[in-house]
Structures are given as structure tokens and as C-alpha cells.
Amino acid sequence: MSDAARSGEKGSCDAGNLAVLFTQDEIEKRVSELARLIDASYGCEPLVAVCVLKGAFMFFSDLTRRLSNPNLELDFVRLSSYGKSQNSSGRVIFNKDTEVDIKGKHALIVEDIVDSGRSMRFLCDQFKARKPLSVAIASLVDKRERRESDVKVDFSGFTVDKGFLVGYGMDYAEKYRALPDICELKN
Ligand code: IMP
Ligand code: MG
């Protein structure tokens, strides 16, 4: 057990293979800024914020509680992607779809990190077919280097070129989600 863990400190990214990229203070400030931008964009129009589980859960929770739109509804999806490691199509499917009808409302997808863009391309295409007023993406991190699909992140928390990030909801093999900072996983 590390000294930090022994003394009860939480999530200080003290393991040698983690480097803090964005602190919880920086995240809190940025999430508040994004909430203001989102409020300014949608006003009181009907808006469904859709959390992409599991990685976006912390960002979604912090972001949506700062929104003041009285016509806000919340929902959740879970996606799976197949075939990437076998070099096949990297096909994305729903593990869990929305329950709220987005027809005639604005849909705001809330994602942890956009990497190749395949997941967001799939979800935007699916949602657009349901006749919403609009579809937009809020992503905690926009990771640019490996982008393959044409995806526009409308509300981006932080931009990085590369690296594998964990913490604040993001995982590696289900670990590190509960870290309060966004860290880069080395090795
Ligand atoms: P895509 O390649 O844009 O389809 O990204 C799919 C998913 O991979 C994201 O929603 C994340 O859940 C996950 N992912 C991509 N890059 C990272 C990372 O650096 N850390 C943790 N998860 C990641
Ligand atoms: Mg994700």
C-alpha cells in the first residue's frame, strides 16, 4: 500500500505509472465553464443529456447538476465495439439504448473521451434518425491523434494529442475510474 493510501488520501495518482494531467480543481473549473456554454446554447429548449456509460458517469453527474435548463431530461446508453483488435470493421453496437424519446428535442451526448470517433459517429447517426431538433457532443477529452471518423466535438473539456488517460470516470481494465484527477497511464 502506498503512503497516500495508508494515510487515507484519495486518488493522488501517486502510483509510479500515473501522471496527473488535469487536477480536480482544473476539472471543476472547466466543467462549470462547459455548463455555462451549454446553458447559453440551449436556453429553456427541450434537451436530453445522454451519458455514455461507463466512462462519462462522473463528468455527466458534475456537468448536469450545473445546468439550469428546466426542460432537461437525463438518459444513459452503453456501447460496445467489436473487431478493433482483430483489425476488422470496429463495429459499434448498443448494449443499452435510451429510454427517453429524443424526437423533437435537442440531444446532447455526454462522452468521456473521443478517440477514433467511431463510437460518436455511430451514436450521432443513430440519434439523427430519431428526428431530434439537433444532436451535439460534449466530451470531457478530445483526443485528436487517432481520429478516423468525421466527428465534431461541440463542447470539449480538454484537448490532448495522444496518451491513454484514466481517472474521473475513465478506466483501464475497470481500474482507476474513481480517481478525482485525469491522469496519463504510462507503459
Ligand atoms: P472511439 O475510438 O472514439 O470510438 O472511443 C471509444 C471509447 O474508447 C471511448 O469512449 C472511451 O471509453 C475509450 N477510450 C479511448 N481512449 C481512451 C483513453 O485514453 N482512456 C480511457 N478510455 C479511452
Ligand atoms: Mg466512453
Side-chain angles (χ1 to χ4, degrees):
M1 194 188 283
S2 69
D3 289 345
R6 220 174 273 118
S7 68
E9 268 177 50
K10 174 147 165 56
S12 50
C13 291
D14 56 333
N17 59 344
L18 294 177
V20 177
L21 275 191
F22 304 106
T23 65
Q24 43 188 321
D25 287 348
E26 289 169 323
I27 297 167
E28 197 182 318
K29 192 162 164 268
R30 188 66 188 130
V31 172
S32 296
E33 287 168 359
L34 288 181
R36 278 196 292 276
L37 291 172
I38 292 167
D39 270 342
S41 295
Y42 296 103
C44 295
E45 292 179 28
L47 174 65
V48 185
V50 179
C51 176
V52 185
L53 294 169
K54 299 179 188 174
F57 83 96
M58 226 180 251
F59 174 45
F60 184 75
S61 155
D62 286 345
L63 182 70
T64 56
R65 84 181 77 180
R66 287 177 171 87
L67 298 178
S68 50
N69 186 333
N71 293 311
L72 176 67
E73 295 173 89
L74 306 182
D75 208 345
F76 301 84
V77 294
R78 181 138 168 75
L79 305 176
S80 275
S81 130
Y82 288 105
K84 279 184 185 173
S85 54
Q86 280 81 33
N87 248 350
S88 63
S89 62
R91 196 167 72 92
V92 180
I93 59 161
F94 279 112
N95 275 354
K96 186 216 170 301
D97 202 342
T98 49
E99 291 160 32
V100 170
D101 190 1
I102 61 171
K103 187 176 178 184
K105 305 167 189 169
H106 297 283
L108 178 65
I109 299 169
V110 181
E111 171 66 307
D112 55 354
I113 181 162
V114 179
D115 185 13
S116 72
R118 281 180 183 156
S119 307
M120 288 303 96
R121 183 73 274 138
F122 166 81
L123 200 52
C124 285
D125 290 348
Q126 289 284 328
F127 280 6
K128 278 176 186 161
R130 300 175 190 182
K131 305 199 180 344
L133 289 175
S134 68
V135 178
I137 298 171
S139 186
L140 175 66
V141 180
D142 185 358
K143 187 160 73 172
R144 296 274 173 81
E145 197 180 51
R146 298 199 301 180
R147 192 63 45 84
E148 291 170 18
S149 300
D150 179 26
V151 161
K152 176 171 163 258
V153 178
D154 303 273
F155 304 96
S156 165
F158 302 100
T159 301
V160 299
D161 282 333
K162 56 186 171 186
F164 197 85
L165 310 192
V166 295
Y168 196 65
M170 294 180 286
D171 75 309
Y172 173 68
E174 296 301 329
K175 285 176 64 184
Y176 308 115
R177 284 196 203 279
L179 291 175
D181 304 311
I182 298 173
C183 303
E184 183 174 358
L185 185 64
K186 307 285 185 187
N187 310 315

